[in-house]
Amino acid sequence: MKKTIKHYQYILENLISGVAFHQIIRDKNNNFVDFIFLEVNKEFENITGLKREEIIGKKASEVLPYIKKRKLDWYSLYNDIDLKESKISFEYFSVSTNKWFKVNVFSINKGYFITEFQDVTELINSRKEILERETNFREFFDSPGILKAICKIVDKSAVFLEVNKEFTNYFNLSQEEIKGKTFSDLKIPKRIEKIWFDNFKKSEEFNKPISFEYINSKNRYRFAISHFLGKDNDGFSKYSLVLQDITERKKAEAELRLSEEKFSKAFSISHYAILFTKFEDGIILDVNEGFLKISGYEYNQVIGKSTLELDIWLDAADRTDFTRELTLKGRLVQKEYKFRIKSGDIIIGLTSAELIDINKIKCIITSVLDITERKKAEIALKESEERFRKIFDEAPIGMVLLDNNLNYVRVNKAFSKMVGYSSEELFNLSFKDLVDFEFVKMAEDNYKRLLNAEIFVYKATKKYIKKSNDYFWGDSTTSVIKGSNGNVINIIEMIEDVTDKKSIEQNLILAKERAEEMNRIKSNFLAQMSHELRTPMVGIIGFSDLLKENLREKHLIDFADKINKGSKRLLDTLNQLLDLSIIEAKKLKVKFKTFNIVKEINEVVSFYENLAKEKKLELKFESEFDTLMVYSDLAILRQILNNLINNSIKYTKEGYIRLCLKLEQKESKKYICITVEDTGIGIPPDKQDIIWDSFRQVSEGHGRTFEGVGLGLTITKNLVNSLDGEIHLKESIPDKGSTFEVLLPYFEKSLTSDFDYIYEENSKKNHNVIKNKFLLPDVLYVDDDREAVIVVSSFLKNISNIDTADNAVAGINQARIKRYDLILMDINFRTGMDGLQAIQEIRKIPWYENVPIVAVTAFAMDKDKKEFLEKGCTHYISKPFSREEFVNFIQDILESIRNN
Ligand code: ADP
């Protein structure tokens, strides 16, 4: 027994659990009162911290005074064991030691029991941990959006052991339907199976989780982790597989990458200077190419330096403003600052900046656009604008700008002064308030034509009404100012006060009219006088002739001869005077007819042959033609030739007189050209102008040895003019000779009927003719018959400003360019549009609604006339017509316009 006890003691001592022997103390009623420590082992001491010597033989209530206060009723527990002589095992957490114990209590004999305390804290904790881990794992395993599976590989094919909810959802199968199935059972594509498989192997090989990405069969990005879980009892490897859909993240990443790429591109290629600086100290962290280009620095020269060090800010106030704005608002938008670049030059930078955090450091990203050149241009533009404004404002003539509604938008001082309104007053006025009523419509029409780009400049003389109600005459020149897009911005008008000029002009017109009137009176007087003188001359010449025949004494016959010759010369002079007075009184009769001019010149020349022979002069006539039929006035032509040949013989002592005839083209018109050349005394250059004036001779006064009173060339010039021709002294050299040239319009055939007309500007309405050429009505004549154009132009040249066009389209265009008061339109053109069509087109042009249009036609009957009037003509005249008939017809129309 002793040995047994010893043996037990040994075991007890070396047990890894704490053991204690206890004896129960009962009262007389056998109630459990307390228990005593009989023996404890070392481990007990270790676990409880109680010392064996201090507790053996002691009651529990002494050793563990708090035992009764414990949650667990140890006393009734021990009592129960003792009474039943049984045992119990449980786990207990000791608050005092903060440990878990596995407690075994068992009774040995009645009244004795043993307690065994085994420290299971670690076990319990790890069990708890496992439990926790398991719950976590469950939660993790079932986490939404993530597919998880545990698989094992059997005979090279993978089998699902367990899958989470997401996985079942994905396959639309239940756990049970998936469990135990191979990958191929579930129709997982071979490609994907291989990817999973390879990564299972990898995780096994490296014994660590392997993450990988792939694109699944639905074209979605998968992020996957495979984990080797160890081998099961049968030696098959187990793996976990976690799958996550990262398509959205991938997309976002791609976008981010793209925007990052974009940003870095933008940063590097931007022509803005972009710099990153630290907010705290202005140290430059990074700059782009643009910054280097603008500043002239190299990358290494700026990185790590502060803007202060580089002395970039020209003005400290700018820098303060920049920093303050950023501090207050976090950003700054498009402010102009001045910066100093490496070369020391100053640039103006349009600056924007923003505060940003880079790796938790407050930074500034600044972008600067170099606008120095733009600024310079702006300043230059401003200066030039200023200059032009000054020119406008200070110009000595009136200048105004009108808007498209014809209101004044700007006026200069000169104009204000002219009209007596302040510029402010003028801004509330339109041009209509300042222009006399009768000019308003014309001006308005022309402004519109300017705005419609039908004309580019409009010049006019208008009557302006001042604020004082007084008026002045202004010459205005108007054009438009266009913007860069070609649209009209303003109308600009320059106005010059021409009131004084105008009155001088009017006085001149008056003076000229008076002088002409005086000349007419003089000519009338001369005509009258020459008639009075001619009558007695007939007697003197006749009787001196008779005396010559009847007298005997030689010296008396000589007297009578002298009287006769003197009176003949006097008659010549009187005749010349009469011719001139007829012309000047505009009473010359012109009679056109067709004749052979070669024959007629020959006749005149032969008349002078004797006279020439007497002076031993050669008289010759050369012609390009044998016969040349012309349409002209024969009598006038003869008189012209007489005067010229007469002068040539008179002023030539020796040599020859030569006449030449040819046709000459001058500007689209054909002329008969007759030259009379002599080898006479010639005319000095300084006298060549006066020979055309009446009563003027080259050598005047008593010393003159030639007969004549200086009227011959005056009359000749007037005669040539009466045929719409020209006469010039072509060449004259003193002592060498002179050549006179006569040009007469050449008409091959008669256009109008042969007719007589009085050479005068107009016969019966002379008093109505306006002498000022500018105030004459504008007439357009459209005809493709060249001769008709020449004749009609000559008929109308003194009563109108006549323009011509030779086809219908040209006529329409001409009517668009200028506003005519009257249009004469031929109806039958040889080609192209006919006259009636042209008239209808012209009627569509603004201004021509009511302008009279005359149909001029060669073949017209009454029914045609009706058609003409229906198709837009107001009048009608048929060819041929006499000058008088035609001029009177036109005068009537013009008069009716004036009266309206
Ligand atoms: P006049 O009666 O004096 O000849 P005209 O009007 O015919 O008057 O001529 C004016 C002047 O022109 C003449 O006086 C003469 O001096 C000069 N004259 C005209 N024709 C000739 C000519 N063929 N040669 C030289 N001088 C001429």
Side-chain angles (χ1 to χ4, degrees), residues 647 650-651 678 683 691 696-698 704 708-710 712-713 738:
N647 273 355
K650 187 160 66 175
Y651 297 109
D678 63 47
I683 304 161
I691 56 172
R696 295 298 300 270
Q697 294 165 318
V698 172
R704 195 178 154 77
V709 289
L713 287 180
S738 313

Side-chain angles (χ1 to χ4, degrees), residues 82 225 377 430 627 855 891:
D82 183 49
I225 301 174
S430 120
T627 302
Q891 285 271 48

Side-chain angles (χ1 to χ4, degrees), residues 429-680:
L429 296 175
S430 120
F431 85 97
K432 292 181 191 169
D433 303 311
L434 293 181
V435 168
D436 189 63
F437 178 71
E438 67 172 298
F439 294 91
V440 167
K441 183 160 170 27
M442 176 190 70
E444 194 167 31
D445 285 348
N446 279 298
Y447 287 142
K448 277 186 193 145
R449 292 166 71 204
L450 275 172
L451 290 172
N452 294 337
E454 288 170 32
I455 53 172
F456 303 105
V457 186
Y458 154 56
K459 291 184 180 201
T461 306
K462 290 180 287 211
K463 198 169 168 183
Y464 287 83
I465 309 298
K466 298 185 186 184
K467 190 181 180 184
S468 60
N469 254 339
D470 204 1
Y471 74 89
F472 69 91
W473 283 97
D475 260 0
S476 62
T477 306
T478 317
S479 59
V480 292
I481 300 175
K482 286 183 180 171
S484 51
N485 57 0
N487 289 346
V488 173
I489 304 173
N490 281 127
I491 293 176
I492 182 163
E493 185 162 286
M494 287 174 281
I495 303 110
E496 193 185 356
D497 186 338
V498 290
T499 315
D500 293 345
K501 248 200 240 169
K502 186 107 185 154
S503 72
I504 292 169
E505 188 184 309
Q506 273 170 346
N507 287 342
L508 275 175
I509 292 170
L510 269 174
K512 185 173 168 261
E513 275 174 3
R514 209 169 295 140
E516 280 171 353
E517 186 61 24
M518 290 304 290
N519 201 34
R520 254 194 309 279
I521 293 169
K522 176 209 77 185
S523 300
N524 267 332
F525 168 76
L526 273 176
Q528 203 63 38
M529 280 305 291
S530 58
H531 185 259
E532 284 303 308
L533 292 170
R534 270 162 67 95
T535 322
M537 270 329 257
V538 176
I540 297 169
I541 293 169
F543 287 117
S544 59
D545 263 344
L546 282 175
L547 274 177
K548 252 167 68 181
E549 280 166 25
N550 293 316
L551 283 173
R552 299 272 148 79
E553 285 102 276
K554 204 171 170 271
H555 68 281
L556 291 178
I557 294 172
D558 201 32
F559 288 164
D561 186 48
K562 283 209 164 90
I563 293 170
N564 189 262
K565 276 197 176 135
S567 52
K568 270 190 182 153
R569 189 172 157 192
L570 191 58
L571 185 63
D572 272 351
T573 306
L574 280 175
N575 277 339
Q576 280 197 335
L577 274 175
L578 186 63
D579 285 348
L580 182 68
S581 55
I582 286 173
I583 291 166
E584 290 200 333
K586 314 235 178 274
K587 283 183 180 148
L588 178 69
K589 284 201 172 194
V590 180
K591 189 179 175 184
F592 276 88
K593 69 171 191 182
T594 308
F595 57 87
N596 178 0
I597 193 169
V598 182
K599 180 176 158 256
E600 295 302 333
I601 296 176
N602 262 321
E603 266 175 29
V604 175
V605 168
S606 63
F607 181 78
Y608 284 94
E609 259 163 11
N610 281 338
L611 197 59
K613 228 180 242 167
E614 275 177 25
K615 287 189 81 175
K616 297 205 176 78
L617 298 172
E618 194 188 346
L619 178 61
K620 36 188 181 180
F621 169 46
E622 291 164 9
S623 168
E624 281 185 0
F625 315 91
D626 292 335
T627 302
L628 179 65
M629 298 309 289
V630 299
Y631 183 68
S632 194
D633 183 308
L634 180 56
I636 291 176
L637 177 74
R638 275 190 188 143
Q639 212 177 332
I640 293 166
L641 293 174
N642 281 339
N643 285 347
L644 292 176
I645 298 171
N646 207 11
N647 273 355
S648 285
I649 295 175
K650 187 160 66 175
Y651 297 109
T652 307
K653 284 181 192 128
E654 53 187 0
Y656 63 86
I657 287 107
R658 178 168 63 190
L659 276 84
C660 286
L661 170 72
K662 55 181 180 181
L663 283 180
E664 204 172 278
Q665 187 84 21
K666 208 174 148 193
E667 293 155 10
S668 84
K669 282 188 193 169
K670 257 187 183 172
Y671 289 90
I672 305 161
C673 173
I674 305 164
T675 50
V676 180
E677 181 193 344
D678 63 47
T679 51

Side-chain angles (χ1 to χ4, degrees), residues 344-360:
D345 287 347
I346 306 304
I347 64 156
I348 301 169
L350 193 63
T351 310
S352 298
E354 189 149 349
L355 273 184
I356 50 166
D357 272 353
I358 300 179
N359 299 334
K360 298 206 176 119

